[in-house]
Amino acid sequence: MAAGVGAAAVAAVLSAPAQAHGPSGHGPNGAKPPHWELKDSGTDARFRGLAAVSRGTAWLAGARGTVLRTTDGGANWRNVSPPGAAGLEFRDVEAFDGRRAVVLAIGEGEASRILRTEDGGATWTESFRNTDARAFYDCMTFFDRRHGLAMSDPVDGKFRILSTGDGGRSWKVLPAAGMPAAQQGEAGFAAGGQCLVSAGPRDVWLATGGAAHARVLHSSDRGLTWTAADTPVPAGDPARGVFALAFRDRTHGIAVGGDYRADRSSPEAAAVSGDGGRTWTTATTPPPAYRSGVTWLPHSRTAALAVGPTGTDLTTNGGRTWRTLDTGSYDTVDCAPDLSCWASGEKGRVARLER
């Protein structure tokens, strides 16, 4: 079966009404519809960093310097946390395969660090430690196995960008000349490793909140020059804005977010773009609450998943309308080229989409 057909089939089954699966929730042949299947991570750490490599292999990065890796589909998780990292908060992990991965620790000053492994987490090398007390790194992304970026909240009135050209072995701060001025109070959200995302060899987008307008910044030259666009996602408060982005190519993007406070509503918490992030339109039927993670189903032009503390939502029309699939709590979601999707979050929660 072609990859595109597979993605379409998964999306169709996911979006089918419950009654189509019979009174027991099973399909006509007794099979359950696609659903999240929880895996035992063996820890209660919160995992906001997730990298899906394949149906068998995934990486988790989270609280208390915890990094886990599975190579058997989540049946077993190996604790491959870097030595001495218990005081760090990992919020992003980017993996190239089952052996090579890069993790980002967030925080003010030297709490922001980047570490890299080439042997499945048996050993780690610290490749960046922030020495500027004004910087606070939130997210990172890779265009390919060599070129990647990381972003910090504004320093001297502009978002700061780190760049690597050797797979994360070394990093340098890019010039700020091509970065637009930040709004008062504007920042990124280190909520699920998706406030900085890329598509293709050169395009990258940065999500913001906390200021008067929730914006998406775009660069088509790997972070040297940027343009900024307002989104309709509500902002105007340090707890509100765009928390996560997903672009399936350099044109089609989805933004999700809202207000992360559990006692606050999050209307208009999703928006879509069809022009590379230059303009954004509110989802006609957005997710019902704050969402901190979003990803396109691989090889699909229309299907995507969004997750947050109150559930998982699916769109099958490119982000215009969403329906809730599951009410479990997740912070981030990621899919691999082989159509496998993973989600992770609080209290050690990790799940794989089964179908």
Side-chain angles (χ1 to χ4, degrees), residues 250-269:
R250 64 177 309 190
T251 304
H252 300 90
I254 297 173
V256 300
D259 190 320
Y260 69 73
R261 294 170 293 194
D263 60 338
R264 304 295 178 93
S265 63
S266 291
E268 302 178 332

Side-chain angles (χ1 to χ4, degrees), residues 60-241:
L60 300 172
R64 304 190 299 274
T66 306
V67 180
L68 304 184
R69 180 185 64 123
T70 183
T71 56
D72 58 10
N76 296 280
W77 293 88
R78 183 178 179 184
N79 188 330
V80 294
S81 305
L88 300 178
E89 287 291 319
F90 292 129
R91 295 292 178 90
D92 201 354
V93 55
E94 303 290 331
F96 308 116
D97 49 43
R99 297 184 62 78
R100 291 175 292 178
V102 182
V103 295
L104 170 73
I106 68 156
E108 297 178 350
E110 293 193 5
S112 284
R113 303 180 194 181
I114 298 175
L115 295 87
R116 188 181 193 279
T117 182
E118 298 184 26
D119 54 15
T123 61
W124 293 86
T125 301
E126 182 181 297
S127 57
F128 172 77
R129 182 180 298 206
N130 174 47
T131 57
D132 191 330
R134 303 167 298 170
F136 186 113
Y137 286 85
D138 299 294
C139 295
M140 64 180 173
T141 188
F142 276 82
F143 303 96
D144 52 43
R145 291 173 179 263
R146 293 171 50 216
H147 301 91
L149 302 176
M151 59 81 71
S152 163
D153 290 338
V155 176
D156 292 330
K158 293 183 178 182
F159 285 93
R160 175 171 287 181
I161 304 296
L162 273 184
S163 174
T164 180
D166 55 14
R169 295 177 181 86
S170 63
W171 298 82
K172 64 178 181 180
V173 176
L174 292 182
M179 177 66 72
Q183 304 173 86
Q184 182 66 35
E186 193 173 23
F189 292 107
Q194 295 173 330
C195 59
L196 186 73
V197 301
S198 55
R202 305 188 70 81
D203 287 274
V204 59
W205 296 264
L206 189 162
T208 83
H213 301 281
R215 301 196 298 174
V216 172
L217 281 63
H218 171 237
S219 169
S220 58
D221 55 12
R222 289 186 183 157
L224 292 176
T225 59
W226 298 78
T227 56
D230 291 346
T231 76
V233 176
D237 184 280
R240 293 201 298 260

Side-chain angles (χ1 to χ4, degrees), residues 29-45:
N29 298 319
K32 293 179 68 175
H35 59 281
W36 288 123
E37 184 174 289
L38 285 168
K39 308 292 184 179
D40 184 5
S41 69
T43 176
D44 64 354

